[in-house]
Amino acid sequence: MNQISLRFLNRAQVESLLPGARELVDVVAQGLHAHGAGKTVLPPKSHLVLDHLVNGHFNILSGYVEPIACAGVKVIGDYVDNWKHGLPSEVGLLTLYNPQTGVPFCLMDATSLTWQRTGAVTCVGAKHLARADSRVVTHLGARGSAFQNLRLLADAFDLDEIRVASKRGETRERLAARVERELGVRCVAVGDAAAACRDADIVIEATRLERPEVLIPADAIKPGALIVTYGWMMAVDPELPFGMDKLVVDDWAQCRQGGALYPLIKSGRLTDGHIHAEIGQIVCGAKAGRERNDERILFWHRGFAISDIVLGHAIHARAEKEGIGTVLPLLEAAEE
């Protein structure tokens, strides 16, 4: 009998095994490259919707990455009121599988991992789509992924100022203080989202809106700016996407299922003809990124399992090498 075991990694262990900022971005970029090159299997994410009962739901993401021969499934809760209980709004688990046998080999906390991979996707997008001389970043929203967005951008760009705007004053003040303390970049908390966007080189929208609201007016985005949006509800002026020089997404099939700009897709206004590229196509060189300094570009990423899998795979490899985690017996398989 062959015993099948899997390695369990809790949140503290996952965080201790995370790569440094630049390696983290490189790992996630490898997943985007594979996606752009057609070397992944990526079904659109599914949802267990309980919002009408508990103001929360579960997102279920699955995929396969050929270059690392790994499949994975992530289940992550999205509960906007969890802050009232002292809990993250997102708590998740990632399971990694051997695609040749279907056997799971790792189960890890995916809460911090989700923040990290989200920040890395934002950063990869900015490296290809923002001006190289970007100095001012505005961040709308102060949830878990916010600091990771800013941490990785501060490593990749020579920033002079970061502006943070969010609905709750205490969260934006806390995030601004953390940015100054840990990143050494001037950071100001701003109550007016539109004002925070004006003259910014990179604008990130990562809000927790419960209904669409125009936080980013069309005239607030200057020539040469990059907008990154991944909130669930539309926070931009509905006319803004049509005034961009380029629209880039992470996965167009997923975007047609929901998310920030989905109302424009549902109405028939936003079609595949408006999409310049998926970010993976740009990373692998199949499509161009920024081509002129005055281009206004919008990058909409919904997040997908490929990023979770490549980062989780790298974390697991290091855990095995360093003997970190708990190895749990799963089952005994009879020899054929």
Side-chain angles (χ1 to χ4, degrees), residues 19 24 33 63 65 75 86 88 93 103 109 121 134-135 147-148 169 181 206 214 218 226 249-250 257 294 310:
L24 170 63
H33 188 288
V65 185
V75 180
L93 287 171
V103 173
D109 176 86
V121 173
S134 294
R135 295 289 184 270
F147 182 77
Q148 304 310 323
R181 181 176 67 251
V214 178
L226 168 68
V249 297
D250 57 355
Q257 303 293 319
D294 65 346
V310 294

Side-chain angles (χ1 to χ4, degrees), residues 25-307:
V25 172
D26 287 344
V27 167
V28 171
Q30 291 167 17
L32 297 175
H33 188 288
H35 180 255
K39 295 183 178 180
T40 64
V41 177
L42 181 67
K45 66 177 71 173
S46 59
H47 309 277
L48 174 60
V49 179
L50 304 175
D51 298 76
H52 61 297
L53 300 173
V54 292
N55 198 25
H57 60 269
F58 294 91
N59 302 316
I60 303 154
L61 298 80
S62 61
Y64 164 70
V65 185
E66 180 184 326
I68 59 171
C70 185
V73 179
K74 183 177 80 171
V75 180
I76 186 162
D78 192 349
Y79 282 72
V80 297
D81 293 330
N82 269 8
W83 64 272
K84 298 176 182 177
H85 309 290
L87 295 170
S89 59
E90 297 170 317
V91 178
L93 287 171
L94 172 67
T95 312
L96 300 177
Y97 298 83
N98 180 334
Q100 300 299 319
T101 62
V103 173
F105 60 86
C106 189
L107 174 66
M108 68 178 71
D109 176 86
T111 308
S112 180
L113 179 146
T114 297
W115 300 339
Q116 303 286 342
R117 67 82 150 133
T118 300
V121 173
T122 296
C123 189
V124 172
K127 289 173 72 173
H128 287 274
L129 303 173
R131 288 177 55 133
D133 61 354
S134 294
R135 295 289 184 270
V136 178
V137 172
T138 289
H139 200 289
L140 307 185
R143 55 171 158 159
S145 58
F147 182 77
Q148 304 310 323
N149 284 326
L150 298 173
R151 177 177 76 92
L152 297 176
L153 287 175
D155 183 75
F157 293 86
D158 185 15
L159 300 181
D160 293 330
E161 180 180 273
I162 293 172
R163 305 166 186 167
V164 174
S166 69
K167 183 178 180 180
R168 294 167 53 221
E170 63 269 28
T171 60
R172 63 178 180 258
E173 293 285 353
R174 184 164 58 244
L175 178 58
R178 183 183 180 189
V179 167
E180 290 204 338
R181 181 176 67 251
E182 297 187 29
L183 304 183
V185 180
R186 179 176 183 269
C187 189
V188 292
V190 182
D192 185 331
C197 294
R198 296 189 188 280
D199 299 320
D201 299 303
I202 301 172
V203 175
I204 303 167
E205 183 277 308
T207 60
R208 305 298 304 230
L209 297 178
E210 296 188 27
R211 59 188 61 83
E213 180 181 349
V214 178
L215 299 178
I216 308 175
D219 64 359
I221 303 304
K222 71 177 186 178
L226 168 68
I227 306 173
V228 180
T229 181
Y230 65 85
W232 180 251
M233 293 292 177
M234 190 160 63
V236 303
D237 184 323
E239 298 304 316
L240 186 147
F242 304 102
M244 296 289 104
D245 294 288
K246 286 189 174 85
L247 292 182
V248 177
V249 297
D250 57 355
D251 183 80
W252 180 235
Q254 291 201 112
C255 292
R256 294 199 300 268
Q257 303 293 319
L261 303 184
Y262 177 69
L264 299 176
I265 298 173
K266 186 177 181 181
S267 70
R269 292 193 65 199
L270 185 63
T271 68
D272 54 2
H274 293 101
I275 305 304
H276 167 67
E278 294 179 335
I279 187 62
Q281 294 174 309
I282 293 172
V283 172
C284 75
K287 294 285 184 74
R290 176 173 289 273
E291 297 175 277
R292 303 190 320 271
N293 279 341
D294 65 346
E295 284 183 300
R296 297 197 306 167
I297 300 176
L298 188 150
F299 173 36
W300 171 23
H301 65 86
R302 285 200 57 202
F304 54 35
I306 303 308
S307 300

Side-chain angles (χ1 to χ4, degrees), residues 7-9 13-14 16-19 23 27 30 68-70 94 96 105-108 113 308-325:
R7 186 177 299 272
F8 172 73
L9 299 170
Q13 291 166 334
V14 168
S16 74
L17 294 164
L18 283 166
E23 184 184 351
V27 167
Q30 291 167 17
I68 59 171
C70 185
L94 172 67
L96 300 177
F105 60 86
C106 189
L107 174 66
M108 68 178 71
L113 179 146
D308 299 302
I309 293 165
V310 294
L311 181 54
H313 185 268
I315 289 169
H316 173 262
R318 186 174 169 190
E320 279 208 320
K321 182 178 179 180
E322 299 184 13
I324 294 174

